[in-house]
Amino acid sequence: MNRAVASGVPDAHLPPRLAELIRPELPSLAEEIVAEIRRAIPEYARPLDGPYGHVLRLGVERNLAVFAERIAAPGGPPSGDDSAGTARMLGQYEAHEGRSMDSLQAAYRIGGQVAWRRVMKVAPRHDISSAVLSRLADALLTYMDELAAQSLDGYLHAKARPILALDERRRRLLRLLLAAADPDGADPTAAVELESAADGAGWSLPDRVTLVAVEPAAHCVWTALDEDVLAELECPEPHLLLPGPFTPERRAMLEEALPGRRIAVGLAMPAGQATDSLRWARRALGLALDGVLDGPVTLCEENLVTLWLLSDPALVEQLTRRRLGVLDGMTPGQQDRLTETLRTWLVTRGTAAEIAERLHIHPQTVRYRMRKIEQILGDALADPEARFGIEIALRAAHLRSRRPASAPHRPVVRPRGPARPRSLRHLR
């Protein structure tokens, strides 16, 4: 079949130069279409920074760009043509919202009308013939019909396929699995009840599971979730259970199912320790939302030390008071300078020159600070247990001081010297 016909462009090709006239209009045209759709259809008058607003805007922008690309190259494959996938996703949203296709079909009609008004406004400036305008109108109508058909396909698919994560049997199964893994919630009949619940939900109990904590109030594209995922999202602390380890494929699935939402992934654990995986994931998510950890997807396995150091803030505070309380008489600025220098030395075991390079100060300043530190802390730095406590306190304080706009976290440099640390006196 001719690509031009199959892709919604009539057999009589439009002049490719039309694409060059259309492209500069696309950004403002997309804004106008979105605004008109939201004004005319109450169901779409939601905040644009929400998941549905994002999909609506993205769909309009992509569809316009693909239409221009098809005019520019009617005989070849358009670059980045994912308009069909976007249209199907819009249809899936309608099914999940419990609506008919009427609103989305109306949105397509409004989009076509607004686009054609813009064409009629721009055409006189470029002396476009009536014959070309007629073919352009046919192409636009055909393209809109194609998108509507793709959306209907997504809608029917979503209606026909059970949303397993919303099935009460699967939610109950997830709760039972977490309760069975919780020593405080387990009972002698838990294993039998769990097996029965798994059979009723059509789900096989895996040897290992990975729990995922999800940012509250997250919108989920349910059909994007793998069928073996258990989900409890309509609660104050949303979470998911993935059978087996966390893989790149699972990551891509979650990014599609939870667009724009932060998640934290616990460790893959035996099913009997699912609550541990979830507890760590929730702690990691809290640190991510506080700005201590970066990125939309936080992996516990990459942040084990951070999770441990910040797992009990009150205890770390007591440790800090006991190991570094002697610095309380200094000004905050003096404390910051000395503790950053000491932390850098403990992490790197570097020379004065190496530490100075990392801190962007003069080596003599490092030597002065380290002499001051040695005077204040005395024998504590020679005592392995005391020194370890000091390093824990300093690392925890450094992590707590991080903010979302801070510089990327620097990797820990392991000591290059012997196991026994060198004396501070080598810095002089």
Side-chain angles (χ1 to χ4, degrees):
M1 181 183 292
N2 188 300
R3 166 85 185 174
V5 174
S7 63
V9 178
D11 222 351
H13 295 328
L14 291 162
R17 73 179 184 89
L18 273 181
E20 299 305 316
L21 303 180
I22 290 173
R23 287 190 179 111
E25 303 291 328
L26 297 187
S28 62
L29 178 57
E31 293 288 341
E32 185 178 351
I33 290 174
V34 170
E36 184 64 17
I37 288 174
R38 297 180 72 240
R39 185 196 65 78
I41 305 176
E43 291 83 353
Y44 296 159
R46 304 180 183 182
L48 287 176
D49 57 354
Y52 202 96
H54 174 74
V55 172
L56 175 62
R57 182 186 295 278
L58 185 64
V60 171
E61 291 173 350
R62 285 180 177 174
N63 292 340
L64 290 174
V66 169
F67 183 68
E69 182 68 19
R70 289 179 175 184
I71 294 174
S79 59
D81 184 353
D82 56 356
S83 57
T86 303
R88 280 193 293 270
M89 183 166 60
L90 287 170
Q92 291 170 356
Y93 268 120
E94 295 303 291
H96 298 160
E97 294 291 323
R99 294 195 292 259
S100 70
M101 281 289 290
D102 293 346
S103 294
L104 186 56
Q105 297 284 10
Y108 281 128
R109 287 194 297 272
I110 290 171
Q113 292 166 1
V114 173
W116 187 246
R117 286 204 305 264
R118 180 67 65 91
V119 169
M120 298 305 294
K121 180 180 178 181
V122 172
R125 300 202 300 261
H126 300 283
D127 195 25
I128 300 175
S129 70
S130 58
V132 170
L133 285 176
S134 178
R135 296 203 301 273
L136 180 60
D138 288 341
L140 180 61
L141 291 173
T142 303
Y143 183 54
M144 300 308 293
D145 287 345
E146 177 189 335
L147 294 177
Q150 294 289 355
S151 290
L152 179 60
D153 180 69
Y155 179 86
L156 295 175
H157 178 75
K159 294 288 281 187
R161 175 184 174 186
I163 302 176
L164 297 178
L166 286 177
D167 188 332
E168 180 56 33
R169 290 173 299 172
R170 292 222 162 187
R171 288 200 297 267
R172 178 173 176 271
L173 172 60
L174 177 55
R175 295 172 194 143
L176 285 174
L177 197 151
L178 291 173
D182 185 351
D184 295 329
D187 61 66
T189 62
V192 176
E193 188 178 9
L194 187 61
E195 288 282 356
S196 175
D199 290 341
W203 196 78
S204 300
L205 288 170
D207 293 331
R208 300 179 72 80
V209 296
T210 302
L211 276 293
V212 179
V214 182
E215 183 179 3
H219 183 91
C220 181
V221 181
W222 291 102
T223 52
L225 288 175
D226 293 339
E227 292 191 8
D228 61 349
V229 173
L230 302 183
E232 181 78 86
L233 297 179
E234 298 176 358
C235 62
E237 294 183 299
H239 52 282
L240 304 161
L241 182 147
L242 310 178
F246 187 67
T247 63
E249 293 76 18
R250 293 289 202 189
R251 179 176 187 139
M253 177 267 296
L254 289 179
E255 289 176 345
E256 181 181 355
L258 299 163
R261 311 308 294 184
R262 286 200 170 197
I263 62 174
V265 181
L267 300 179
M269 302 292 290
Q273 295 177 257
T275 50
D276 286 332
S277 182
L278 180 57
R279 175 167 53 87
W280 296 327
R282 284 174 171 165
R283 181 59 179 153
L285 178 62
L287 293 174
L289 294 175
D290 288 342
V292 175
L293 299 177
D294 298 324
V297 179
T298 301
L299 304 182
C300 286
E301 66 179 1
E302 295 179 356
N303 296 280
L304 294 179
V305 172
T306 298
L307 291 172
W308 173 63
L309 286 177
L310 301 183
S311 61
D312 193 334
L315 188 59
V316 173
E317 178 65 25
Q318 291 301 316
L319 177 64
T320 302
R321 287 181 180 277
R322 284 162 172 72
R323 296 304 183 193
L324 297 174
V326 293
L327 302 178
D328 288 347
M330 298 181 175
T331 66
Q334 290 174 325
Q335 289 185 29
D336 289 344
R337 289 190 290 272
L338 290 184
T339 55
E340 181 64 8
T341 302
L342 176 57
R343 188 185 68 83
T344 304
W345 176 76
L346 288 170
V347 170
T348 67
R349 301 295 195 268
T351 64
E354 292 167 341
I355 294 173
E357 183 178 357
R358 289 175 68 93
L359 298 180
H360 306 291
I361 57 178
H362 194 278
Q364 189 59 35
T365 303
V366 175
R367 295 186 182 96
Y368 168 77
R369 291 181 184 177
M370 294 307 296
R371 283 196 295 269
K372 186 73 172 177
I373 290 168
E374 190 174 39
Q375 292 170 4
I376 296 171
L377 296 179
D379 295 337
L381 291 177
D383 182 333
E385 183 175 348
R387 187 176 60 250
F388 182 61
I390 291 170
E391 184 171 356
I392 289 174
L394 291 175
R395 287 187 182 228
H398 176 69
L399 289 169
R400 287 199 304 266
S401 69
R402 299 191 66 196
R403 294 293 184 270
S406 65
H409 183 56
R410 291 178 291 183
V412 174
V413 180
R414 299 185 182 279
R416 296 170 297 165
R420 181 177 180 179
R422 294 174 281 179
S423 167
L424 295 181
R425 299 184 187 279
H426 82 283
L427 295 171
R428 297 178 180 175

